[in-house]
């Protein structure tokens, strides 16, 4: 379910698209006609981890995803934590693994969700115990990894290049098959 900001968080007045002069010129944004509050609709930072355990990468399947869809561990930063603290927390919460070494891979756009993904490579240790958010996981050797054409898939491809591997992407047909059913699940059907 997609949520949208419709009311001012300060005075509860319905927001309206209103033009206003900004640094880059006139811009239409949702604004409060009563108190002037502006909904900037800035992208949300999301953390992602290429979790490596004993030379293999952990890919997980979210409970809301179709059976063939696996991806990186991701989550939102909490107020008061650094991105590195946030990804270590997410890994612990979702997999029970302990992050030992965390290094930045890069930042990636995920325009469809209005997010910026901050991706890390994380050496981790421990015994995997999934949270209720995840249904399954698999450990994949680097040479067997396939990347997907989206933010975290591009992060995985960039990281594989640093390890001397030429990334292989799912074909459009393979990617459609791994995503089959995802849109229906989002719609609630």
């Amino acid at each position: 379910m997609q949520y949208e900001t419709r009311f001012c968080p300060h005075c509860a007045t319905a927001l309206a698209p209103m033009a206003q002069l900004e640094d880059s010129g006139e811009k239409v944004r949702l604004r409060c006609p009563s108190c002037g509050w502006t909904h900037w609709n800035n992208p949300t930072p999301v953390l992602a981890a290429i979790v490596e355990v004993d030379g293999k990468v952990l890919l997980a399947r979210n409970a809301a995803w179709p059976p063939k869809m696996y991806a990186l561990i991701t989550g939102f930063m909490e107020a008061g934590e650094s991105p590195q603290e946030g990804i270590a927390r997410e890994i612990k919460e979702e997999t029970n693994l302990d992050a030992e070494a965390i290094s930045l891979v890069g930042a990636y756009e995920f325009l469809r969700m209005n997010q910026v993904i901050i991706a890390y490579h994380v050496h981790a240790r421990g015994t995997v115990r999934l949270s209720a958010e995840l249904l399954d996981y698999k450990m994949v050797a680097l040479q067997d990894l396939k990347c997907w054409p989206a933010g975290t898939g591009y992060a995985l491809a960039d990281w594989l290049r640093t390890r001397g591997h030429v990334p292989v992407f799912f074909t459009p047909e393979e990617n459609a098959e791994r995503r089959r059913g995802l849109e229906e699940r989002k719609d609630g059907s």
Side-chain angles (χ1 to χ4, degrees):
M1 173 180 275
Q2 282 288 75
Y3 293 97
E4 61 182 64
T5 302
R6 299 184 313 178
F7 298 96
C8 177
H10 295 282
C11 69
T13 301
L15 297 176
M18 298 170 63
Q20 186 173 315
L21 192 59
E22 296 180 359
D23 291 341
S24 60
E26 188 172 86
K27 182 77 173 180
V28 175
R29 297 187 192 272
L30 289 177
R31 302 178 197 275
C32 179
S34 180
C35 74
W37 182 84
T38 298
H39 175 54
W40 297 101
N41 197 30
N42 292 332
T44 303
V46 172
L47 306 172
I50 301 164
V51 179
E52 186 178 1
V53 179
D54 299 326
K56 292 187 175 183
V57 172
L58 182 144
L59 297 179
R61 188 175 133 224
N62 187 290
W65 292 350
K68 293 183 180 180
M69 190 168 177
Y70 287 76
L72 305 181
I73 299 298
T74 60
F76 296 103
M77 267 177 59
E78 298 283 343
E81 70 184 359
S82 71
Q84 295 86 349
E85 291 166 338
I87 200 60
R89 175 190 49 75
E90 283 291 340
I91 292 167
K92 185 66 173 174
E93 287 175 2
E94 294 186 13
T95 69
N96 191 48
L97 294 173
D98 295 307
E100 291 188 321
I102 300 171
S103 58
L104 181 66
V105 174
Y108 301 84
E109 65 184 38
F110 194 39
L111 299 177
R112 181 170 48 87
M113 298 294 291
N114 193 27
Q115 296 172 345
V116 173
I117 298 168
I118 305 167
Y120 291 92
H121 169 237
V122 179
H123 281 283
R125 65 173 169 76
T127 302
V128 175
R129 189 174 61 244
L130 299 178
S131 72
E133 185 178 330
L134 302 176
L135 282 184
D136 194 18
Y137 76 97
K138 57 186 176 181
M139 301 301 294
V140 183
L142 275 59
Q143 68 271 13
D144 297 328
L145 286 166
K146 278 193 147 181
C147 304
W148 45 94
T152 57
Y154 297 131
L156 181 59
D158 285 349
W159 177 76
L160 283 169
R161 287 183 192 97
T162 70
R163 302 295 293 264
H165 292 267
V166 175
V168 175
F169 281 84
F170 286 106
T171 66
E173 297 78 19
E174 289 171 328
N175 196 51
E177 179 60 27
R178 80 182 257 284
R179 294 178 52 83
R180 187 174 319 285
L182 187 62
E183 295 307 316
E184 291 84 15
R185 291 168 192 261
K186 285 182 181 176
D187 296 339
S189 50

Short mmCIF file of all heavy atoms in Angstrom, two decimals, residues 54-78:
data_model
loop_
_atom_site.label_atom_id
_atom_site.label_comp_id
_atom_site.label_asym_id
_atom_site.label_seq_id
_atom_site.Cartn_x
_atom_site.Cartn_y
_atom_site.Cartn_z
N ASP A 54 31.65 -16.52 5.41
CA ASP A 54 32.50 -17.61 4.95
C ASP A 54 32.62 -17.65 3.43
O ASP A 54 32.55 -18.71 2.80
CB ASP A 54 32.00 -18.97 5.47
CG ASP A 54 32.01 -19.05 6.99
OD1 ASP A 54 32.92 -18.44 7.60
OD2 ASP A 54 31.12 -19.69 7.56
N GLY A 55 32.78 -16.49 2.80
CA GLY A 55 33.00 -16.40 1.37
C GLY A 55 31.77 -16.51 0.49
O GLY A 55 31.87 -16.49 -0.73
N LYS A 56 30.58 -16.61 1.09
CA LYS A 56 29.33 -16.66 0.33
C LYS A 56 28.46 -15.47 0.72
O LYS A 56 28.58 -14.94 1.81
CB LYS A 56 28.58 -17.97 0.59
CG LYS A 56 29.29 -19.18 0.02
CD LYS A 56 28.44 -20.42 0.15
CE LYS A 56 29.14 -21.58 -0.54
NZ LYS A 56 28.31 -22.77 -0.50
N VAL A 57 27.56 -15.10 -0.21
CA VAL A 57 26.67 -13.97 0.03
C VAL A 57 25.28 -14.47 0.40
O VAL A 57 24.74 -15.36 -0.25
CB VAL A 57 26.60 -13.06 -1.23
CG1 VAL A 57 25.53 -11.99 -1.08
CG2 VAL A 57 27.96 -12.41 -1.48
N LEU A 58 24.73 -13.87 1.45
CA LEU A 58 23.39 -14.22 1.91
C LEU A 58 22.37 -13.41 1.11
O LEU A 58 22.43 -12.19 1.09
CB LEU A 58 23.25 -13.92 3.40
CG LEU A 58 21.91 -14.27 4.03
CD1 LEU A 58 22.12 -14.77 5.45
CD2 LEU A 58 20.95 -13.11 4.03
N LEU A 59 21.45 -14.10 0.46
CA LEU A 59 20.30 -13.48 -0.18
C LEU A 59 19.06 -13.95 0.57
O LEU A 59 18.96 -15.13 0.91
CB LEU A 59 20.21 -13.87 -1.66
CG LEU A 59 21.37 -13.42 -2.55
CD1 LEU A 59 21.15 -13.90 -3.98
CD2 LEU A 59 21.56 -11.92 -2.51
N ALA A 60 18.14 -13.05 0.82
CA ALA A 60 16.97 -13.37 1.63
C ALA A 60 15.69 -13.11 0.85
O ALA A 60 15.66 -12.29 -0.06
CB ALA A 60 16.97 -12.56 2.92
N ARG A 61 14.64 -13.82 1.26
CA ARG A 61 13.32 -13.64 0.64
C ARG A 61 12.37 -13.04 1.66
O ARG A 61 12.11 -13.64 2.71
CB ARG A 61 12.77 -14.98 0.16
CG ARG A 61 11.51 -14.80 -0.65
CD ARG A 61 11.02 -16.10 -1.23
NE ARG A 61 9.60 -16.14 -0.94
CZ ARG A 61 8.94 -17.15 -0.51
NH1 ARG A 61 9.54 -18.30 -0.30
NH2 ARG A 61 7.66 -17.08 -0.27
N ASN A 62 11.88 -11.86 1.37
CA ASN A 62 10.91 -11.18 2.22
C ASN A 62 9.60 -11.95 2.21
O ASN A 62 9.22 -12.53 1.20
CB ASN A 62 10.72 -9.75 1.69
CG ASN A 62 9.88 -8.90 2.58
OD1 ASN A 62 8.67 -9.12 2.70
ND2 ASN A 62 10.49 -7.91 3.21
N ALA A 63 8.89 -11.91 3.31
CA ALA A 63 7.62 -12.63 3.44
C ALA A 63 6.57 -12.16 2.43
O ALA A 63 5.68 -12.91 2.07
CB ALA A 63 7.07 -12.49 4.86
N ALA A 64 6.69 -10.94 1.93
CA ALA A 64 5.72 -10.39 0.98
C ALA A 64 6.09 -10.66 -0.48
O ALA A 64 5.37 -10.26 -1.37
CB ALA A 64 5.57 -8.89 1.20
N TRP A 65 7.21 -11.33 -0.72
CA TRP A 65 7.70 -11.52 -2.07
C TRP A 65 7.31 -12.87 -2.64
O TRP A 65 7.09 -13.83 -1.89
CB TRP A 65 9.21 -11.40 -2.11
CG TRP A 65 9.74 -10.03 -1.83
CD1 TRP A 65 9.04 -8.87 -1.73
CD2 TRP A 65 11.11 -9.70 -1.60
NE1 TRP A 65 9.90 -7.83 -1.46
CE2 TRP A 65 11.16 -8.32 -1.37
CE3 TRP A 65 12.27 -10.44 -1.57
CZ2 TRP A 65 12.35 -7.65 -1.13
CZ3 TRP A 65 13.46 -9.79 -1.32
CH2 TRP A 65 13.50 -8.40 -1.10
N PRO A 66 7.34 -12.99 -3.98
CA PRO A 66 7.08 -14.28 -4.63
C PRO A 66 8.21 -15.28 -4.31
O PRO A 66 9.31 -14.87 -3.94
CB PRO A 66 7.05 -13.95 -6.12
CG PRO A 66 7.29 -12.51 -6.27
CD PRO A 66 7.51 -11.90 -4.93
N PRO A 67 7.94 -16.57 -4.49
CA PRO A 67 8.90 -17.62 -4.10
C PRO A 67 10.29 -17.54 -4.73
O PRO A 67 11.26 -17.96 -4.12
CB PRO A 67 8.20 -18.91 -4.51
CG PRO A 67 6.75 -18.57 -4.55
CD PRO A 67 6.67 -17.13 -4.95
N LYS A 68 10.42 -17.00 -5.93
CA LYS A 68 11.72 -16.99 -6.60
C LYS A 68 12.50 -15.70 -6.38
O LYS A 68 13.60 -15.55 -6.91
CB LYS A 68 11.54 -17.22 -8.10
CG LYS A 68 11.03 -18.60 -8.43
CD LYS A 68 10.94 -18.81 -9.92
CE LYS A 68 10.43 -20.22 -10.21
NZ LYS A 68 10.32 -20.45 -11.66
N MET A 69 11.97 -14.78 -5.61
CA MET A 69 12.61 -13.48 -5.46
C MET A 69 13.43 -13.41 -4.17
O MET A 69 12.88 -13.45 -3.07
CB MET A 69 11.56 -12.37 -5.48
CG MET A 69 12.15 -11.00 -5.56
SD MET A 69 10.86 -9.81 -5.93
CE MET A 69 11.79 -8.31 -5.88
N TYR A 70 14.73 -13.29 -4.33
CA TYR A 70 15.68 -13.13 -3.22
C TYR A 70 16.48 -11.87 -3.48
O TYR A 70 16.74 -11.52 -4.63
CB TYR A 70 16.62 -14.32 -3.14
CG TYR A 70 15.97 -15.59 -2.62
CD1 TYR A 70 15.14 -16.35 -3.42
CD2 TYR A 70 16.20 -16.01 -1.32
CE1 TYR A 70 14.54 -17.50 -2.95
CE2 TYR A 70 15.61 -17.17 -0.83
CZ TYR A 70 14.78 -17.90 -1.66
OH TYR A 70 14.19 -19.04 -1.18
N ALA A 71 16.92 -11.20 -2.42
CA ALA A 71 17.69 -9.98 -2.59
C ALA A 71 18.55 -9.73 -1.35
O ALA A 71 18.66 -10.59 -0.46
CB ALA A 71 16.76 -8.80 -2.85
N LEU A 72 19.13 -8.55 -1.29
CA LEU A 72 20.00 -8.17 -0.17
C LEU A 72 19.17 -7.82 1.06
O LEU A 72 17.98 -7.53 0.96
CB LEU A 72 20.85 -6.96 -0.56
CG LEU A 72 21.70 -7.08 -1.82
CD1 LEU A 72 22.49 -5.79 -2.03
CD2 LEU A 72 22.63 -8.28 -1.76
N ILE A 73 19.82 -7.79 2.20
CA ILE A 73 19.20 -7.32 3.43
C ILE A 73 19.12 -5.79 3.34
O ILE A 73 20.10 -5.12 3.04
CB ILE A 73 20.03 -7.73 4.67
CG1 ILE A 73 20.13 -9.26 4.77
CG2 ILE A 73 19.47 -7.12 5.95
CD1 ILE A 73 18.80 -9.97 4.95
N THR A 74 17.93 -5.25 3.60
CA THR A 74 17.73 -3.81 3.54
C THR A 74 16.91 -3.34 4.73
O THR A 74 16.22 -4.13 5.37
CB THR A 74 17.01 -3.38 2.24
OG1 THR A 74 15.73 -4.02 2.21
CG2 THR A 74 17.81 -3.73 1.01
N GLY A 75 16.97 -2.06 4.98
CA GLY A 75 16.15 -1.49 6.05
C GLY A 75 16.36 0.01 6.14
O GLY A 75 17.26 0.58 5.52
N PHE A 76 15.51 0.64 6.92
CA PHE A 76 15.56 2.08 7.11
C PHE A 76 16.47 2.45 8.27
O PHE A 76 16.52 1.74 9.27
CB PHE A 76 14.17 2.65 7.36
CG PHE A 76 13.24 2.46 6.20
CD1 PHE A 76 12.27 1.48 6.22
CD2 PHE A 76 13.33 3.27 5.08
CE1 PHE A 76 11.41 1.30 5.14
CE2 PHE A 76 12.48 3.12 4.00
CZ PHE A 76 11.53 2.12 4.03
N MET A 77 17.15 3.58 8.14
CA MET A 77 17.94 4.12 9.24
C MET A 77 17.00 4.61 10.33
O MET A 77 15.91 5.09 10.05
CB MET A 77 18.77 5.31 8.76
CG MET A 77 20.15 4.95 8.32
SD MET A 77 21.06 6.38 7.68
CE MET A 77 21.06 7.50 9.04
N GLU A 78 17.43 4.50 11.56
CA GLU A 78 16.70 5.03 12.69
C GLU A 78 17.31 6.38 13.07
O GLU A 78 18.50 6.61 12.83
CB GLU A 78 16.80 4.09 13.90
CG GLU A 78 16.20 2.71 13.67
CD GLU A 78 14.69 2.69 13.75
OE1 GLU A 78 14.11 3.66 14.29
OE2 GLU A 78 14.09 1.74 13.25
#
